[in-house]
Amino acid sequence: MKEKIKHLTEIINTLSAKSNDEVEALRIKYLSKKGEISELFNEFRTVSNDQKREVGQLLNKLRDDAQNKINELKTALAETASNIEKIDLTRTPDTIPFGTRHPLSLVKNEIFDIFSRLGFVAAEGPEIEDDWHVFGSLNFPPEHPARDMQDTFFIERHPDILLRTHTSSVQTRVMMKQKPPIRILCPGRVYRNEAISARAHCFFHQVEGLYIDKNVSFADLKQALLYFAKEMFGENTEIRLRPSYFPFTEPSAEMDISCDLCGGKGCSFCKNTGWVEILGCGMVDPNVLENCNIDSKVYSGYAFGMGIERITNLKYRVKDLRMFSENDIRFLNQFQ
Ligand code: DAH
């Protein structure tokens, strides 16, 4: 008898029903006059006197449990029914919050918009490069400090393979497979072995520009860069070119724009000079053209390279370079 009660209790605990009819069927099966529990009550008469007390208690509990279970199933069904009635199918859905573009992508896209109006098209190259594309072809002498372990990440046991330190390597990639005219803009990530701080990172982003054709002059370069500066930073922006040195350009220059914080009067941002540096540029060195099988007596060209982080800092005044790679949603959300 005790075994039977135990067995039925287990079954009762696991009962479930999908409709009121099913609940009613369960009630009849277990609790009606001819139900399984009532049958046990009939059998109770045969239990010996010394067991009656204990078995009686177990039986009563079984009946109560069954009744509770049936009630429980009924309420659960009633609740789901009323929930379905509460759903307003005509309600406009919640808007899905879109992500925002990364500030570096916003600025990269803007740089592309501007130069595409001058006929530049996108070109890309690999981040894992060889020495020749990053340095050799670009006229870096073998002992040039930029090749030093301090700056460049080399791939262990493969001294010829490295992480590109600038996007100038894409110039070579394109010149090797395309004949002039060439007018390309190459965006990408570059790597340098620097300690990470607010002002330096071991990776950052550049955009490289290259224009090769017959009769390309320094005046063309200057005009293109002036147009870029005004489109990017506003109509009143002025530019200044300072002589500089890069192995792959001759002559070379660095370009400053007038500081738009102080309007050129001098402030802490421009270190009281009224100017801020934004890029490097120059006329492509004839050696570079020849290295890429382009006749330097027929063709000439200009090139420029800028850091996207630097341009972004100037536009949005981001104080710490590390913000760009931390994926902090509070920072990224500000660039809606
Ligand atoms: N590759 C240079 C750098 O990473 C930037 C640069 C300077 C690119 C002058 C150029 C250029 O194309 O003409 O610092």
Side-chain angles (χ1 to χ4, degrees):
M1 181 86 177
K2 277 199 233 162
E3 269 311 303
K4 281 189 190 163
I5 296 176
K6 192 171 163 231
H7 181 62
L8 257 182
T9 308
E10 275 163 17
I11 294 177
I12 297 284
N13 279 336
T14 59
L15 291 183
S16 68
K18 288 195 203 68
S19 68
N20 285 329
D21 287 350
E22 280 183 39
V23 180
E24 181 57 13
L26 290 174
R27 191 193 66 76
I28 291 169
K29 183 159 194 259
Y30 295 106
L31 290 166
S32 67
K33 284 224 168 68
K34 294 219 163 105
E36 290 184 29
I37 294 176
S38 312
E39 293 288 324
L40 284 181
F41 271 99
N42 289 339
E43 242 183 279
F44 182 63
R45 280 186 230 117
T46 64
V47 172
S48 62
N49 278 344
D50 59 328
Q51 293 267 317
K52 269 213 159 71
R53 190 182 155 82
E54 191 195 348
V55 175
Q57 278 171 354
L58 289 174
L59 254 183
N60 282 334
K61 183 163 185 311
L62 174 63
R63 188 195 49 214
D64 292 348
D65 284 355
Q67 189 59 58
N68 288 340
K69 186 74 189 182
I70 298 288
N71 293 345
E72 220 175 82
L73 292 175
K74 273 192 193 151
T75 355
L77 280 171
E79 265 171 25
T80 25
S82 68
N83 276 349
I84 288 171
E85 277 159 26
K86 274 188 220 136
I87 296 173
D88 177 2
L89 296 172
T90 64
R91 183 175 164 276
T92 31
D94 288 336
T95 49
I96 300 164
F98 286 116
T100 56
R101 273 202 211 287
H102 194 281
L104 294 177
S105 301
L106 290 176
V107 169
K108 182 192 76 181
N109 292 347
E110 208 175 332
I111 297 171
F112 262 79
D113 273 358
I114 297 170
F115 280 105
S116 66
R117 279 175 242 143
L118 297 179
F120 284 81
V121 296
E124 280 182 320
E127 291 178 16
I128 302 172
E129 264 291 9
D130 54 54
D131 187 281
W132 189 75
H133 285 92
V134 177
F135 298 125
S137 63
L138 292 167
N139 212 26
F140 281 81
E143 70 286 1
H144 194 284
R147 294 180 183 228
D148 201 290
M149 292 292 269
Q150 310 274 303
D151 276 313
T152 309
F153 287 114
F154 289 92
I155 308 292
E156 224 170 283
R157 269 174 274 152
H158 296 277
D160 188 44
I161 307 295
L162 45 95
L163 296 181
R164 67 179 178 196
T165 56
H166 56 182
T167 43
S168 304
S169 52
V170 188
Q171 290 188 17
T172 312
R173 292 241 161 227
V174 173
M175 285 191 278
M176 287 303 284
K177 61 172 198 274
Q178 190 186 322
K179 290 293 140 216
I182 294 170
R183 203 172 350 210
I184 50 162
L185 211 53
C186 326
R189 185 172 284 181
V190 300
Y191 301 83
R192 287 184 201 177
N193 194 355
E194 303 242 16
I196 298 173
S197 71
R199 320 188 103 243
H201 211 296
C202 59
F203 65 77
F204 57 99
H205 301 81
Q206 289 186 330
V207 172
E208 184 84 13
L210 175 75
Y211 176 34
I212 314 255
D213 205 344
K214 290 176 180 150
N215 302 318
V216 178
S217 73
F218 200 93
D220 297 323
L221 170 62
K222 197 175 162 190
Q223 184 55 41
L225 294 179
L226 178 65
Y227 174 74
F228 166 69
K230 286 183 179 291
E231 290 290 296
M232 192 76 189
F233 298 104
E235 183 52 32
N236 296 327
T237 309
E238 288 174 51
I239 63 166
R240 170 174 92 167
L241 290 159
R242 282 178 289 105
S244 184
Y245 171 77
F246 299 104
F248 37 92
T249 45
E250 182 58 35
S252 305
E254 273 168 313
M255 185 174 99
D256 301 337
I257 56 165
S258 49
C259 177
D260 69 339
L261 251 197
C262 61
K265 283 191 222 71
C267 65
S268 63
F269 186 74
C270 59
K271 299 192 193 82
N272 283 316
T273 61
W275 298 95
V276 283
E277 187 199 319
I278 67 161
L279 55 81
C281 61
M283 300 307 293
V284 180
D285 193 299
N287 288 341
V288 174
L289 295 175
E290 297 295 338
N291 286 341
C292 300
N293 309 321
I294 293 177
D295 189 345
S296 62
K297 289 183 201 68
V298 181
Y299 294 103
S300 58
Y302 65 66
F304 55 86
M306 63 185 104
I308 305 182
E309 278 82 351
R310 173 128 192 98
I311 309 285
T312 310
N313 282 347
L314 283 168
K315 266 198 100 92
Y316 296 112
R317 314 258 176 243
V318 179
K319 297 236 161 56
D320 190 325
L321 265 185
R322 290 167 292 195
M323 307 281 282
F324 290 125
S325 48
E326 272 167 1
N327 282 337
D328 187 330
I329 217 83
R330 292 166 301 179
F331 171 68
L332 297 174
N333 262 336
Q334 296 174 52
F335 300 89
Q336 296 280 350

